[in-house]
Amino acid sequence: MTEIKVIDSIMGSGKTSWAIQYMNDAGPLEKFIYITPYLSEVQRIRENVSCRTFLEPNPRNKSGSKMHSLKELIADGKDIVSTHSLFQTADDELLELLTDSGYTLILDEVMDVIDKAKVTERDIRDLKALGHIEIENNRVLWTCVDYDTNAKYSDIMRLARAGNLFYHRGKFLIWAFPPRIFEAFSKVYVMTYLFNGQIQRYYFDLYGFEYSFQAIKYDGEKYAVSEYNPKNEGREELFQLIDLYEGKKNDIGNDYYALSASKLKNMSDDNTLKIQRAIYGYFRNDIKAKAKEILWTTVKGEGDTVRKELSGKGYARSFLQCNARATNEYQERWALAYVFNRFMNPIERAFFEDHGVKVDQDLLAVSDLLQWIYRSRIRNGESINLYLPSSRMRELLKMWAKYEI
């Protein structure tokens, strides 16, 4: 069975630096695939791993496909660095190449391992009526032998044939990243923070993966894995660097569900104006921040409707998506506004709970919040100002600082 180690260590503790050191020190027969969210981190790995040559998949091949390039690099036994977005399109051919290849996978941050397939209830009924799919123990089986690979439901066909499509509550098709991909590696490292609240943890539990926890320590010369103990994280010291706003502008988030995704996407014009004025007033009057010093966020959605509605003068262009991780591009920013009350997507939550996997929405919320905050200059040990109008999110942040969550 694949050995999975979760490097669960607080932001800034040196997870990526440890990974670079580990790959530099590894023997010549070891092979690595390093997966990271951002292209800037791809470049960092290529530049800093000096004892081996990491190659990046590219579309300069007969198929014009990065996936084709990835498969060629694996076949040639090369060390590879790529992004989450490419790795998420893994298929059976990639699985076959990885099996018994001896690669070690290093995941820089958790991946999006489940998603709602883009089909309607009517599409599902039509596919069943046509005899193209059958449902067996909630898994979607593709039964049409000669279906056109370029036809309307070809994406659904590929996912179903790979065994990664589930029929959920009679309404939705849920895609799950093929678990056999993880089984094809000799070792897997997942580098993140608060893994117990992450969707990838629930995914591992769903498929019965076993994993162990470790942390990172630095002795002044080298990084090393150490015993996992949250009490060593220095949460109180980090919280002391956050000047958390407490005042009337928080009235917009007093309700437990205020500023949740559903509330933000369905807010009235009056509430939109109140929230916009509160953000503007905080940046302009309370802390007198300039645009280049600001970071703000709200719910991520199709068309960024909420973002556009809440954008205002002086801060509109300082937006950073609420699920941002593993980027250092904003480490000079100190004026922050997190205008979102994070809950797990109800479909995702129901999917896991229907399969007997218990989720912790509060831990997920505070994890995403901390990851976002850490894009700022707090990562350099400098203080920041934070507007966090959701009463629930403020309470979760304070509970985290006291090791109560």
Side-chain angles (χ1 to χ4, degrees):
M1 179 174 286
T2 301
E3 180 184 17
I4 300 178
K5 293 184 178 180
V6 178
I7 309 298
D8 195 318
S9 211
I10 198 166
M11 299 79 62
S13 58
K15 294 187 290 292
T16 305
S17 296
W18 166 81
I20 290 170
Q21 173 189 288
Y22 173 57
M23 292 185 290
N24 273 325
D25 292 346
L29 297 181
E30 287 198 61
K31 298 180 292 183
F32 294 93
I33 296 181
Y34 190 98
I35 302 297
T36 182
Y38 299 107
L39 287 171
S40 58
E41 291 299 294
V42 167
Q43 194 62 29
R44 178 183 177 187
I45 296 300
R46 294 190 67 182
E47 291 175 354
N48 288 277
V49 181
S50 56
C51 294
R52 57 183 65 235
T53 300
F54 269 84
L55 299 177
E56 180 184 358
N58 64 73
R60 296 189 296 274
N61 53 66
K62 61 182 181 181
S63 300
S65 162
K66 285 189 176 182
M67 177 54 70
H68 182 86
S69 175
L70 174 60
K71 292 172 181 176
E72 287 184 332
L73 292 173
I74 292 172
D76 291 339
K78 303 296 187 182
D79 291 305
I80 302 162
V81 58
S82 187
T83 59
H84 284 193
S85 57
L86 177 61
F87 195 60
Q88 282 165 325
T89 60
D91 57 16
D92 285 348
E93 186 180 9
L94 185 69
L95 172 65
E96 186 177 340
L97 287 166
L98 285 171
T99 301
D100 298 325
S101 64
Y103 271 99
T104 292
L105 171 67
I106 300 181
L107 270 184
D108 182 6
E109 287 304 337
V110 292
M111 298 196 316
D112 292 330
V113 286
I114 68 166
D115 196 9
K116 180 176 175 288
K118 293 178 172 60
V119 290
T120 65
E121 287 183 62
R122 181 170 181 175
D123 290 332
I124 298 170
R125 289 196 301 269
D126 289 346
L127 284 167
K128 291 170 69 177
L130 290 167
H132 290 348
I133 63 172
E134 293 179 0
I135 310 299
E136 185 176 293
N137 296 324
N138 289 332
R139 193 180 295 273
V140 180
L141 306 177
W142 189 267
T143 53
C144 181
V145 177
D146 55 355
Y147 193 77
D148 186 347
T149 56
N150 295 313
K152 179 179 180 181
Y153 298 114
S154 57
D155 288 343
I156 300 301
M157 176 187 67
R158 280 188 284 270
L159 294 174
R161 283 180 172 173
N164 308 320
L165 206 58
F166 295 86
Y167 188 45
H168 181 56
R169 293 195 173 185
K171 294 183 177 181
F172 310 106
L173 297 187
I174 300 290
W175 165 84
F177 184 80
R180 292 175 298 163
I181 296 293
F182 290 111
E183 295 168 351
F185 288 95
S186 299
K187 290 183 285 188
V188 174
Y189 291 93
V190 181
M191 304 191 304
T192 189
Y193 180 53
L194 297 180
F195 182 71
N196 275 330
Q198 303 293 337
I199 289 174
Q200 189 162 347
R201 175 238 156 163
Y202 308 135
Y203 166 89
F204 277 171
D205 290 350
L206 174 68
Y207 286 105
F209 285 104
E210 295 181 2
Y211 46 90
S212 59
F213 286 85
Q214 294 179 314
I216 296 295
K217 66 177 181 180
Y218 182 62
D219 63 8
E221 294 184 4
K222 294 200 74 174
Y223 293 90
V225 292
S226 64
E227 179 185 0
Y228 173 69
N229 184 355
K231 294 294 184 180
N232 296 332
E233 292 173 359
R235 296 182 183 184
E236 302 98 328
E237 293 84 350
L238 188 64
F239 187 69
Q240 290 298 316
L241 294 175
I242 303 173
D243 187 346
L244 187 61
Y245 174 83
E246 302 282 2
K248 291 289 290 180
K249 292 183 180 66
N250 284 337
D251 290 349
I252 60 173
N254 281 341
D255 182 77
Y256 182 80
Y257 292 103
L259 305 176
S260 65
S262 60
K263 293 285 187 180
L264 286 167
K265 290 174 182 177
N266 296 289
M267 59 187 166
S268 66
D269 291 343
D270 284 346
N271 282 337
T272 300
L273 189 58
K274 284 179 184 178
I275 298 171
Q276 188 185 67
R277 285 175 173 171
I279 301 169
Y280 176 82
Y282 174 72
F283 286 138
R284 180 67 180 267
N285 302 321
D286 290 271
I287 59 174
K288 298 177 173 56
K290 300 175 183 176
K292 64 182 181 180
E293 298 167 327
I294 290 171
L295 277 183
W296 77 283
T297 198
T298 189
V299 63
K300 179 184 177 183
E302 292 185 13
D304 274 339
T305 304
V306 177
R307 168 189 176 179
K308 292 172 183 176
E309 290 177 343
L310 295 185
S311 291
K313 184 179 179 182
Y315 66 88
R317 295 184 179 180
S318 301
F319 183 87
L320 176 64
Q321 66 269 23
C322 59
N323 61 344
R325 295 169 179 263
T327 177
N328 305 325
E329 294 180 20
Y330 306 93
Q331 57 184 314
E332 304 301 322
R333 310 290 178 103
W334 59 267
L336 280 62
Y338 190 94
V339 189
F340 185 31
N341 186 4
R342 174 73 160 101
F343 290 92
M344 182 181 284
N345 181 295
I347 297 173
E348 294 176 350
R349 179 185 178 187
F351 173 72
F352 286 117
E353 292 185 342
D354 285 358
H355 287 85
V357 178
K358 186 178 179 181
V359 304
D360 187 336
Q361 296 213 81
D362 289 345
L363 195 59
L364 174 64
V366 78
S367 171
D368 280 3
L369 170 64
L370 288 164
Q371 288 282 1
W372 187 85
I373 289 172
Y374 217 74
R375 300 314 106 208
S376 70
R377 75 179 187 184
I378 199 171
R379 67 185 301 111
N380 301 320
E382 298 179 77
S383 63
I384 62 167
N385 291 71
L386 175 63
Y387 177 44
L388 187 61
S390 163
S391 59
R392 170 178 172 263
M393 296 297 286
R394 285 198 310 280
E395 181 61 23
L396 291 176
L397 181 61
K398 293 171 185 178
M399 289 173 64
W400 168 84
K402 297 175 186 175
Y403 294 92
E404 294 173 356
I405 186 172

